[in-house]
Amino acid sequence: MRFHSRLYNTSRQRGFLTFSVAKFLIFTLLGLGIIGALIIAYALIFINPRLPSLEAITDYRPKIPLRIYSEDHVLLGEFGEEKRSLVKLNDIPANMKNAVLAIEDYRFYQHGGIDYIGIARALATDLVRGHASQGASTITMQVARNMFLTKEKTFSRKLYEVLLANKIEATLSKDEILEVYMNQIYLGQRAYGFAAAARTYFGKDLKDITLAQAAMLAGLPKAPSAYNPIVNPDRARIRQQYILQRMLDLEFITQAQYDAAVKEDIQVRTSGNQYNVHAEYINEMVRQLVYAQYKEDTYTQGFNVITTINAADQKAAYDAVRKGVMDYDRRHGYRGPEETISLPSNEDDRAQAIDDVMDSHPDNDDILAAVVVSADPKQIQAVLRGGDKISITGDTLKFVATALSPKAKPEIRIAPGAVIRVMQDARKNWQIVQLPEVEATLVSMVPQNGAIRALVGGFDFTQNNFNHVTQAWRQPGSTFKPFIYSAALEKGFAPASIINDAPASYPAGPGQPNWEPKDDDPPAGPMTLRTALQKSINLAAIRTLDAIGVSYAQEFISSHFGFDVDKIPPYLPMALGAGQTTPLQLASAYSIFANGGYKINPYLISQITDARGRVLSKADPLIVGNNAPRAIDERNSYIMTSLLQSVAQRGTGAGTNVLHRTDLAGKTGTTNDAVDGWFAGFQRTLATVAWMGYDQPKSLGSREFGAQLALPIWVDYMGTALRDVPQSDSPAPAGINFIDGEPYYDNFLPGAGFVASLGTEGGGVVDALSNFFGWGKNPNSETPNSTTTDRDKTFQGR
């Protein structure tokens, strides 16, 4: 009886408990229902009316940076707070879309913006683990959050996100939503959208990335900093492997594709090497030109600028300038480490000290900073940025032999803790170098229309953003002599005219000694004009200028070749390049010789389009044979080209012969005390000027001339730029006669032309000849104001 009573009581208790649990669940569900209803009511009454317009998505116009391209459509650079590239969904590779869907929202095409299954799964996982470990944001919700909401984690913001996701799904198709996401999401390094990220991290267009690269990019949305392959390559790799596994599990890829992708060695671009071609000076020129017209819209409206630059030529120019400067720097000895620090004995402290000092010595392209950890005359051990160790031995140490001596001065000694510069040679051997103090530049243009094909404004833009091509006003030295002789042709001179290389003396003003210009070599006596230019004889150029008249020459050169008249001194030193010009101006002037005598204007921008591809502006250049005006007589251009070809083949520019071409023409130039080194020259399709010098003018060295300084840069560049260009020799124009192989104007009168132009009044032919050939002093010459001389006087080697 008692047993039955206990059994009854136990059953009663269980029933009561079951009823209590059921009642609790009912009330809980009822409470949740009421709360849910209140939330829905709140959302509908208070939030829904306040939801923002979807115009930002339906008329999607993100801030897109200014992009600058070469004429063959290679990206040279961009300017803007955000790196973006708008790309249509159909143009996004399937692997990229699938990688994103696999890790972010694989049910994207099945749910309606809110993935309730995903939410349930995330809640269940969180309950099992006891903490929040999984999110349930769909791609649509991420679009809503990124486009319209702040990042604060509040309940009301989550409500906004859900309602906006529903609104977006009701307005846009799935493909349209995914397209916005792929273009809008932030992926680190100022890159927004996967197209910009592909360029930033891999230097590729999105359409060209591999499966492995796509998976690495797909890992960025969750935490752009944590999975940044530049900053955290190991974590980025782990995330990438996980995404590839997800793609395999979801059957987005095959086992073979997975196996190949996990083994791929991904090369990530460093922050200092964002573009395939170094065009920093060009980019800054374009930015300034565009900003002058469009102001702040320059950085947000997605303007695309197509320049006249040829990417291959630009690379050749950059490499040539770098090599020329480094070769010069090596000739002039080692100046010592950039800094020397104390190295701690503890390995961890030492590594930290090396990392700290590296922050003050950034790498310069292929010229890397390194910290010496041991050094003796036979071997140097050093650590690169990032901790890699290198060893420098053998003949490469000859450059720093003095610095490795125990008797070396402290400021040049290489010892443990020294911060040095290293680079690899063609055989991948490490050698010690140094950041140069000298500057160099090169500019190259098409003579027929002025299109600039290559422009390098200095050794390194980050080190010195002063653009020497357009901003450096320097004395041109003997590169100016051809313009004197061009003026002389119009006064009756010819290549075979005889000029005397003999001592001369000119009054320099009251109370001052006479100006007596000289050449390095002893006077050689009478010679032809061709030989005088070929050997760059100073006295011959001065006598020619004296004969034709300084005022006439100044007016002729400024009006016909475009030089600033106020920068051409109205004195005899004009013949030696005592005025001022920029490399760009000089290249424009030499283009007139190259194109048959026509005036052209250099230009850099071919066209500007907006983000939708509509043309906003287009260049209208002067073109030879179309609208270019004549600058000099065609006969003048032909003869000057012939003379300058002699210089390039047998004169001071004979270093061009390594290119094995007979259609090259040009002139070396070295100013007084070798402060500036020049080579200006051309082939019919390209006019190019190279220059070297210090920003604060000082001598480049007593044995340095334009032939050693600038000509090698010019040759290295032109050797690449003209590689597939056939030789071209222009036929003699009408009005040219040949006598003993030399060209003359058809109205040339031997002997009379230059005699009549000597500027002597009443002195007769005998006095004129006396002055011209240097028989005695010339008291009637115009007074010089400078003692500038030129040092390019001989054949090879100067």
Side-chain angles (χ1 to χ4, degrees), residues 460-506:
D460 181 73
F461 182 82
T462 59
Q463 184 176 307
N464 184 356
N465 57 25
F466 181 78
N467 191 336
H468 298 82
V469 168
T470 59
Q471 296 175 289
W473 290 92
R474 309 290 291 225
Q475 289 190 348
S478 282
T479 61
F480 200 75
K481 287 177 181 174
F483 306 109
I484 301 296
Y485 289 119
S486 175
L489 293 180
E490 300 305 314
K491 283 288 191 177
F493 282 77
S497 295
I498 301 299
I499 308 171
N500 198 21
D501 177 17
S505 182
Y506 299 91

Short mmCIF file of all heavy atoms in Angstrom, two decimals, residues 460-506:
data_model
loop_
_atom_site.label_atom_id
_atom_site.label_comp_id
_atom_site.label_asym_id
_atom_site.label_seq_id
_atom_site.Cartn_x
_atom_site.Cartn_y
_atom_site.Cartn_z
N ASP A 460 65.91 59.14 -57.77
CA ASP A 460 64.84 58.50 -57.01
C ASP A 460 63.87 59.57 -56.51
O ASP A 460 64.27 60.50 -55.81
CB ASP A 460 65.41 57.71 -55.84
CG ASP A 460 64.32 57.01 -55.05
OD1 ASP A 460 63.78 56.01 -55.56
OD2 ASP A 460 64.00 57.46 -53.94
N PHE A 461 62.59 59.41 -56.83
CA PHE A 461 61.59 60.41 -56.49
C PHE A 461 61.40 60.53 -54.99
O PHE A 461 61.21 61.63 -54.46
CB PHE A 461 60.26 60.05 -57.16
CG PHE A 461 59.16 61.04 -56.92
CD1 PHE A 461 59.08 62.20 -57.68
CD2 PHE A 461 58.21 60.83 -55.93
CE1 PHE A 461 58.07 63.14 -57.46
CE2 PHE A 461 57.20 61.73 -55.70
CZ PHE A 461 57.13 62.90 -56.47
N THR A 462 61.42 59.41 -54.27
CA THR A 462 61.21 59.47 -52.83
C THR A 462 62.37 60.15 -52.12
O THR A 462 62.20 60.72 -51.05
CB THR A 462 61.02 58.05 -52.26
OG1 THR A 462 62.18 57.26 -52.56
CG2 THR A 462 59.80 57.39 -52.87
N GLN A 463 63.53 60.09 -52.73
CA GLN A 463 64.71 60.72 -52.15
C GLN A 463 64.79 62.20 -52.51
O GLN A 463 65.24 63.03 -51.73
CB GLN A 463 65.96 59.97 -52.65
CG GLN A 463 67.29 60.44 -52.08
CD GLN A 463 68.43 59.57 -52.59
OE1 GLN A 463 68.39 58.35 -52.46
NE2 GLN A 463 69.44 60.18 -53.17
N ASN A 464 64.34 62.53 -53.71
CA ASN A 464 64.39 63.91 -54.20
C ASN A 464 63.32 64.07 -55.26
O ASN A 464 63.47 63.59 -56.38
CB ASN A 464 65.78 64.21 -54.78
CG ASN A 464 65.94 65.66 -55.22
OD1 ASN A 464 64.99 66.45 -55.16
ND2 ASN A 464 67.13 66.02 -55.67
N ASN A 465 62.22 64.77 -54.92
CA ASN A 465 61.12 64.90 -55.88
C ASN A 465 61.26 66.11 -56.79
O ASN A 465 60.33 66.46 -57.52
CB ASN A 465 59.75 64.92 -55.18
CG ASN A 465 59.64 66.03 -54.15
OD1 ASN A 465 60.33 67.04 -54.24
ND2 ASN A 465 58.79 65.84 -53.17
N PHE A 466 62.40 66.77 -56.76
CA PHE A 466 62.68 67.87 -57.69
C PHE A 466 62.85 67.28 -59.08
O PHE A 466 63.70 66.41 -59.31
CB PHE A 466 63.95 68.61 -57.26
CG PHE A 466 64.32 69.77 -58.14
CD1 PHE A 466 63.66 70.98 -58.03
CD2 PHE A 466 65.34 69.66 -59.08
CE1 PHE A 466 64.00 72.06 -58.83
CE2 PHE A 466 65.69 70.73 -59.88
CZ PHE A 466 65.02 71.93 -59.75
N ASN A 467 62.03 67.74 -60.03
CA ASN A 467 62.04 67.18 -61.38
C ASN A 467 63.06 67.91 -62.23
O ASN A 467 62.81 69.02 -62.73
CB ASN A 467 60.64 67.29 -62.01
CG ASN A 467 60.53 66.51 -63.30
OD1 ASN A 467 61.51 66.23 -63.98
ND2 ASN A 467 59.31 66.14 -63.64
N HIS A 468 64.22 67.28 -62.43
CA HIS A 468 65.30 67.93 -63.16
C HIS A 468 65.00 68.09 -64.65
O HIS A 468 65.61 68.93 -65.31
CB HIS A 468 66.60 67.14 -62.98
CG HIS A 468 67.05 67.06 -61.55
ND1 HIS A 468 66.53 66.13 -60.66
CD2 HIS A 468 67.95 67.79 -60.85
CE1 HIS A 468 67.10 66.29 -59.49
NE2 HIS A 468 67.96 67.29 -59.57
N VAL A 469 64.07 67.32 -65.18
CA VAL A 469 63.72 67.44 -66.60
C VAL A 469 63.05 68.77 -66.88
O VAL A 469 63.33 69.43 -67.89
CB VAL A 469 62.81 66.28 -67.03
CG1 VAL A 469 62.19 66.56 -68.41
CG2 VAL A 469 63.60 64.99 -67.09
N THR A 470 62.17 69.21 -65.98
CA THR A 470 61.39 70.41 -66.23
C THR A 470 61.79 71.60 -65.36
O THR A 470 61.50 72.74 -65.70
CB THR A 470 59.89 70.13 -65.99
OG1 THR A 470 59.72 69.69 -64.62
CG2 THR A 470 59.39 69.05 -66.93
N GLN A 471 62.44 71.33 -64.23
CA GLN A 471 62.70 72.40 -63.26
C GLN A 471 64.16 72.82 -63.16
O GLN A 471 64.44 73.88 -62.61
CB GLN A 471 62.21 71.95 -61.87
CG GLN A 471 60.71 71.73 -61.79
CD GLN A 471 60.30 71.18 -60.44
OE1 GLN A 471 60.57 70.03 -60.11
NE2 GLN A 471 59.65 72.01 -59.64
N ALA A 472 65.07 72.00 -63.63
CA ALA A 472 66.50 72.30 -63.47
C ALA A 472 66.99 73.17 -64.62
O ALA A 472 67.15 72.69 -65.74
CB ALA A 472 67.31 71.00 -63.40
N TRP A 473 67.23 74.44 -64.34
CA TRP A 473 67.80 75.35 -65.33
C TRP A 473 69.33 75.31 -65.17
O TRP A 473 69.88 75.79 -64.20
CB TRP A 473 67.28 76.77 -65.14
CG TRP A 473 65.83 76.89 -65.51
CD1 TRP A 473 64.76 76.75 -64.70
CD2 TRP A 473 65.32 77.16 -66.82
NE1 TRP A 473 63.59 76.91 -65.40
CE2 TRP A 473 63.90 77.17 -66.72
CE3 TRP A 473 65.90 77.39 -68.06
CZ2 TRP A 473 63.07 77.39 -67.81
CZ3 TRP A 473 65.07 77.62 -69.15
CH2 TRP A 473 63.68 77.63 -69.02
N ARG A 474 69.98 74.71 -66.16
CA ARG A 474 71.42 74.50 -66.09
C ARG A 474 72.09 74.99 -67.37
O ARG A 474 71.46 75.09 -68.42
CB ARG A 474 71.74 73.01 -65.90
CG ARG A 474 71.00 72.33 -64.78
CD ARG A 474 71.45 72.76 -63.41
NE ARG A 474 72.78 72.32 -63.09
CZ ARG A 474 73.15 71.78 -61.93
NH1 ARG A 474 72.25 71.59 -60.98
NH2 ARG A 474 74.40 71.43 -61.71
N GLN A 475 73.38 75.27 -67.26
CA GLN A 475 74.14 75.65 -68.46
C GLN A 475 74.27 74.43 -69.37
O GLN A 475 74.64 73.35 -68.90
CB GLN A 475 75.51 76.18 -68.08
CG GLN A 475 75.48 77.53 -67.40
CD GLN A 475 76.87 78.15 -67.25
OE1 GLN A 475 77.87 77.48 -67.44
NE2 GLN A 475 76.90 79.41 -66.89
N PRO A 476 73.99 74.59 -70.65
CA PRO A 476 74.02 73.43 -71.55
C PRO A 476 75.40 73.08 -72.09
O PRO A 476 75.55 72.05 -72.76
CB PRO A 476 73.09 73.86 -72.69
CG PRO A 476 73.22 75.34 -72.73
CD PRO A 476 73.41 75.77 -71.30
N GLY A 477 76.41 73.93 -71.85
CA GLY A 477 77.74 73.62 -72.37
C GLY A 477 77.74 73.50 -73.88
O GLY A 477 77.01 74.18 -74.60
N SER A 478 78.55 72.56 -74.39
CA SER A 478 78.71 72.44 -75.84
C SER A 478 77.50 71.88 -76.56
O SER A 478 77.46 71.87 -77.79
CB SER A 478 79.94 71.57 -76.15
OG SER A 478 81.12 72.31 -75.98
N THR A 479 76.47 71.39 -75.82
CA THR A 479 75.26 70.97 -76.52
C THR A 479 74.57 72.16 -77.17
O THR A 479 73.68 71.98 -78.01
CB THR A 479 74.27 70.29 -75.55
OG1 THR A 479 73.89 71.21 -74.53
CG2 THR A 479 74.87 69.03 -74.93
N PHE A 480 75.01 73.37 -76.80
CA PHE A 480 74.42 74.58 -77.39
C PHE A 480 75.09 74.98 -78.70
O PHE A 480 74.53 75.74 -79.48
CB PHE A 480 74.53 75.73 -76.38
CG PHE A 480 73.57 76.87 -76.64
CD1 PHE A 480 72.23 76.75 -76.36
CD2 PHE A 480 74.03 78.07 -77.19
CE1 PHE A 480 71.34 77.80 -76.60
CE2 PHE A 480 73.16 79.11 -77.43
CZ PHE A 480 71.81 78.97 -77.14
N LYS A 481 76.30 74.48 -78.95
CA LYS A 481 77.05 74.89 -80.14
C LYS A 481 76.31 74.62 -81.45
O LYS A 481 76.40 75.44 -82.39
CB LYS A 481 78.41 74.20 -80.16
CG LYS A 481 79.39 74.75 -79.13
CD LYS A 481 80.70 73.98 -79.12
CE LYS A 481 81.65 74.53 -78.05
NZ LYS A 481 82.87 73.71 -77.93
N PRO A 482 75.59 73.50 -81.59
CA PRO A 482 74.89 73.29 -82.86
C PRO A 482 73.94 74.42 -83.24
O PRO A 482 73.75 74.69 -84.44
CB PRO A 482 74.13 71.98 -82.63
CG PRO A 482 74.96 71.25 -81.63
CD PRO A 482 75.49 72.30 -80.72
N PHE A 483 73.38 75.11 -82.27
CA PHE A 483 72.46 76.19 -82.59
C PHE A 483 73.21 77.42 -83.10
O PHE A 483 72.69 78.17 -83.93
CB PHE A 483 71.61 76.52 -81.36
CG PHE A 483 70.91 75.31 -80.81
CD1 PHE A 483 71.31 74.74 -79.60
CD2 PHE A 483 69.89 74.70 -81.51
CE1 PHE A 483 70.70 73.61 -79.11
CE2 PHE A 483 69.26 73.56 -81.03
CZ PHE A 483 69.68 73.01 -79.82
N ILE A 484 74.42 77.61 -82.62
CA ILE A 484 75.27 78.67 -83.17
C ILE A 484 75.59 78.37 -84.63
O ILE A 484 75.48 79.25 -85.51
CB ILE A 484 76.59 78.79 -82.37
CG1 ILE A 484 76.30 79.08 -80.89
CG2 ILE A 484 77.52 79.83 -82.98
CD1 ILE A 484 75.64 80.39 -80.63
N TYR A 485 75.96 77.13 -84.91
CA TYR A 485 76.31 76.76 -86.28
C TYR A 485 75.08 76.76 -87.19
O TYR A 485 75.17 77.07 -88.38
CB TYR A 485 77.01 75.41 -86.31
CG TYR A 485 78.41 75.47 -85.73
CD1 TYR A 485 78.77 74.73 -84.61
CD2 TYR A 485 79.38 76.28 -86.32
CE1 TYR A 485 80.06 74.80 -84.09
CE2 TYR A 485 80.67 76.35 -85.81
CZ TYR A 485 81.00 75.61 -84.69
OH TYR A 485 82.27 75.69 -84.18
N SER A 486 73.91 76.41 -86.63
CA SER A 486 72.68 76.49 -87.42
C SER A 486 72.41 77.93 -87.84
O SER A 486 72.06 78.19 -89.00
CB SER A 486 71.50 75.96 -86.60
OG SER A 486 70.28 76.12 -87.30
N ALA A 487 72.60 78.87 -86.92
CA ALA A 487 72.44 80.28 -87.26
C ALA A 487 73.47 80.70 -88.30
O ALA A 487 73.18 81.51 -89.20
CB ALA A 487 72.57 81.14 -86.00
N ALA A 488 74.68 80.14 -88.18
CA ALA A 488 75.75 80.50 -89.12
C ALA A 488 75.44 80.02 -90.54
O ALA A 488 75.82 80.68 -91.52
CB ALA A 488 77.08 79.93 -88.65
N LEU A 489 74.77 78.89 -90.68
CA LEU A 489 74.41 78.41 -92.02
C LEU A 489 73.57 79.43 -92.77
O LEU A 489 73.67 79.57 -94.00
CB LEU A 489 73.66 77.08 -91.93
CG LEU A 489 74.43 75.86 -91.42
CD1 LEU A 489 73.52 74.64 -91.40
CD2 LEU A 489 75.67 75.59 -92.26
N GLU A 490 72.71 80.15 -92.04
CA GLU A 490 71.86 81.15 -92.67
C GLU A 490 72.64 82.43 -92.99
O GLU A 490 72.09 83.33 -93.64
CB GLU A 490 70.68 81.46 -91.77
CG GLU A 490 69.78 80.26 -91.46
CD GLU A 490 69.28 79.58 -92.72
OE1 GLU A 490 68.82 80.29 -93.64
OE2 GLU A 490 69.36 78.34 -92.80
N LYS A 491 73.86 82.51 -92.53
CA LYS A 491 74.72 83.67 -92.83
C LYS A 491 75.80 83.33 -93.84
O LYS A 491 76.76 84.09 -94.01
CB LYS A 491 75.36 84.18 -91.54
CG LYS A 491 74.43 84.98 -90.65
CD LYS A 491 74.14 86.35 -91.24
CE LYS A 491 73.43 87.25 -90.23
NZ LYS A 491 73.21 88.61 -90.79
N GLY A 492 75.67 82.18 -94.50
CA GLY A 492 76.60 81.86 -95.57
C GLY A 492 77.65 80.82 -95.22
O GLY A 492 78.51 80.52 -96.06
N PHE A 493 77.64 80.29 -94.02
CA PHE A 493 78.60 79.24 -93.67
C PHE A 493 78.16 77.90 -94.25
O PHE A 493 76.99 77.70 -94.58
CB PHE A 493 78.72 79.12 -92.15
CG PHE A 493 79.57 80.19 -91.53
CD1 PHE A 493 79.09 81.48 -91.34
CD2 PHE A 493 80.87 79.92 -91.14
CE1 PHE A 493 79.85 82.46 -90.77
CE2 PHE A 493 81.66 80.90 -90.56
CZ PHE A 493 81.16 82.18 -90.37
N ALA A 494 79.10 76.96 -94.30
CA ALA A 494 78.84 75.60 -94.78
C ALA A 494 79.76 74.66 -94.02
O ALA A 494 80.70 75.09 -93.35
CB ALA A 494 79.09 75.51 -96.28
N PRO A 495 79.49 73.34 -94.06
CA PRO A 495 80.34 72.40 -93.33
C PRO A 495 81.82 72.50 -93.69
O PRO A 495 82.68 72.23 -92.84
CB PRO A 495 79.77 71.04 -93.73
CG PRO A 495 78.34 71.30 -94.02
CD PRO A 495 78.31 72.66 -94.66
N ALA A 496 82.13 72.92 -94.91
CA ALA A 496 83.53 73.00 -95.34
C ALA A 496 84.13 74.38 -95.12
O ALA A 496 85.29 74.61 -95.48
CB ALA A 496 83.66 72.60 -96.80
N SER A 497 83.38 75.33 -94.56
CA SER A 497 83.93 76.65 -94.28
C SER A 497 85.12 76.51 -93.33
O SER A 497 85.10 75.70 -92.39
CB SER A 497 82.87 77.56 -93.64
OG SER A 497 81.81 77.80 -94.55
N ILE A 498 86.15 77.31 -93.57
CA ILE A 498 87.37 77.22 -92.77
C ILE A 498 87.31 78.20 -91.59
O ILE A 498 87.02 79.38 -91.77
CB ILE A 498 88.62 77.52 -93.63
CG1 ILE A 498 88.70 76.53 -94.80
CG2 ILE A 498 89.88 77.45 -92.79
CD1 ILE A 498 88.82 75.08 -94.37
N ILE A 499 87.57 77.67 -90.41
CA ILE A 499 87.60 78.47 -89.19
C ILE A 499 88.94 78.22 -88.51
O ILE A 499 89.41 77.08 -88.45
CB ILE A 499 86.45 78.08 -88.24
CG1 ILE A 499 85.11 78.11 -88.99
CG2 ILE A 499 86.40 78.99 -87.03
CD1 ILE A 499 83.95 77.55 -88.21
N ASN A 500 89.54 79.25 -87.97
CA ASN A 500 90.87 79.11 -87.39
C ASN A 500 90.80 78.81 -85.90
O ASN A 500 90.20 79.56 -85.12
CB ASN A 500 91.68 80.40 -87.61
CG ASN A 500 93.17 80.16 -87.44
OD1 ASN A 500 93.64 79.04 -87.53
ND2 ASN A 500 93.91 81.23 -87.21
N ASP A 501 91.40 77.72 -85.52
CA ASP A 501 91.57 77.38 -84.11
C ASP A 501 92.89 78.00 -83.66
O ASP A 501 93.95 77.38 -83.74
CB ASP A 501 91.58 75.87 -83.92
CG ASP A 501 91.81 75.46 -82.48
OD1 ASP A 501 91.66 76.32 -81.59
OD2 ASP A 501 92.16 74.28 -82.25
N ALA A 502 92.82 79.25 -83.24
CA ALA A 502 94.02 80.01 -82.86
C ALA A 502 93.69 80.86 -81.65
O ALA A 502 92.52 81.16 -81.38
CB ALA A 502 94.47 80.89 -84.03
N PRO A 503 94.69 81.24 -80.87
CA PRO A 503 94.44 82.07 -79.68
C PRO A 503 93.67 83.34 -80.05
O PRO A 503 93.85 83.92 -81.12
CB PRO A 503 95.84 82.40 -79.17
CG PRO A 503 96.69 81.28 -79.69
CD PRO A 503 96.12 80.93 -81.03
N ALA A 504 92.80 83.75 -79.15
CA ALA A 504 92.02 84.96 -79.36
C ALA A 504 91.91 85.70 -78.04
O ALA A 504 91.98 85.11 -76.96
CB ALA A 504 90.64 84.61 -79.90
N SER A 505 91.72 87.01 -78.14
CA SER A 505 91.60 87.84 -76.95
C SER A 505 90.53 88.89 -77.21
O SER A 505 90.51 89.53 -78.26
CB SER A 505 92.94 88.52 -76.64
OG SER A 505 92.86 89.29 -75.47
N TYR A 506 89.63 89.05 -76.23
CA TYR A 506 88.51 89.97 -76.40
C TYR A 506 88.42 90.90 -75.20
O TYR A 506 88.59 90.46 -74.05
CB TYR A 506 87.20 89.18 -76.53
CG TYR A 506 87.16 88.26 -77.72
CD1 TYR A 506 87.58 86.93 -77.60
CD2 TYR A 506 86.71 88.70 -78.96
CE1 TYR A 506 87.55 86.07 -78.68
CE2 TYR A 506 86.67 87.85 -80.05
CZ TYR A 506 87.09 86.53 -79.91
OH TYR A 506 87.06 85.69 -80.99
#
